[in-house]
Amino acid sequence: RSSDLEADICKRMMCCIAQQAGEKIDRFRAHAGSVFLKILHFDSPLVPHIPHRAELEKIFPRAEADSLNWRAASEAFPRITQLLALPEYRYHVLQGITVSVGGLTESTVRHSSHSLLDYLRTIQSEAQSLNCFCDVLLQVFRDNLHNDRVSIPLLKMPDQIGR
């Protein structure tokens, strides 16, 4: 059915843009974050089939859409890591954040690591959520074994989070 196809395309598009919004390169993150919010808040006509629209609108309120500075790691990562709680976004966002956490830029590493650790603290007593997170993290690793851009930062991640 056409609507199923549209829903799948919209889901993949939003997930891929969310992944880039967790990117280590400031200008990529800024552009992706801006596009993500424009699509989320576009209402003439409303973009259909956005997974978890209500939750996204709470994380990214329309009133703050223009003022959120995606270039600033201190603003972007606390927001984007909240998408880890949303199953459809978890894999892609974790892949983007992994590259940032294991990156080289001090500010990006510090804020992405801190935000990821904050997220992990919110689920540490929820065995099912923690298991889901670990399963997705392992899947990201499996899918990127031969992709140094992801696998090397992923291997650095435990050390960065522990600092």
Side-chain angles (χ1 to χ4, degrees), residues 40-41 52-62 64 79 82:
L40 175 63
H41 295 299
H52 299 286
R53 180 186 294 277
E55 292 94 331
L56 293 174
E57 289 174 344
K58 288 178 186 169
I59 296 168
F60 304 105
R62 180 183 299 269
E64 298 173 16
R79 299 284 184 104
Q82 292 179 53

Side-chain angles (χ1 to χ4, degrees), residues 32-47:
S34 174
V35 168
F36 189 85
L37 294 186
K38 281 185 173 123
I39 294 169
L40 175 63
H41 295 299
F42 193 79
D43 57 7
S44 185
L46 188 74
V47 177

